[in-house]
Structures are given as structure tokens and as C-alpha cells.
Amino acid sequence: MNFQVTPGMRRLGASVLGMEAIVAGLLTPVAISVGGVTPGLAFTAGLGLAALCVVAAGLLKKPFGYVLGSVTQVLAIATGFLVPAMFFLGAIFTALWITAIIVARRVEGVTSR
């Protein structure tokens, strides 16, 4: 199966990952102050996830970028174990990620439905 990357997919996907990077970066101080998470773990989780979002956004010209972006969504949901609100926010970003791919492919005529 051939996964065709379109310009619309790159734009929408990068937009979702860019906003997610901001939220992930803000996870760090919230995890420390509200969640009582150790600073080392909070920095690793929050800033690591933010960096992964930026790297994935940069790789969206290749199909592997979408695999990495999808892994990022799973990790965003998993940060809910540090800050419970991230279960909800991670699910929202996952829905936006999936919607961005589907809508862009439909608009650009890559899929028929």
C-alpha cells in the first residue's frame, strides 16, 4: 500500500504538532507544581515530548513522519499518568491529528470517501 503525502497533510499535521509542542512544553511546570512530579521526570516528559513534536513536524514530507507523529499522540496520552488532564488533552490532539490527515486527503482528492 502506497501512502501518498500531500501538501495539505503536511500543513495540517504540522499545525497540530506545533500546537501540541506548546502544550507539551507547558506540561513541565504544571507537572512539577500541581502534579508533584520530580523536576527531572517533568523536564524529560514535557520537553522531550515537545521536541518529538517538532521533529515529527519536520519529517512530515516522508511517510515516516506520520508514523512518528502517531507515536507522539500515544505518548501525549501517556503523559496523563503525570498530569491527569493530559489524558483529555492527548485524546483531543489525537483526534485532531487523525482528522487533519483524513480531511486533507479528502480535500486533495487522494481518497474517494
Side-chain angles (χ1 to χ4, degrees), residues 28 31-32 35-44:
T28 302
I32 294 169
V37 177
T38 62
L41 178 58
F43 277 102
T44 301

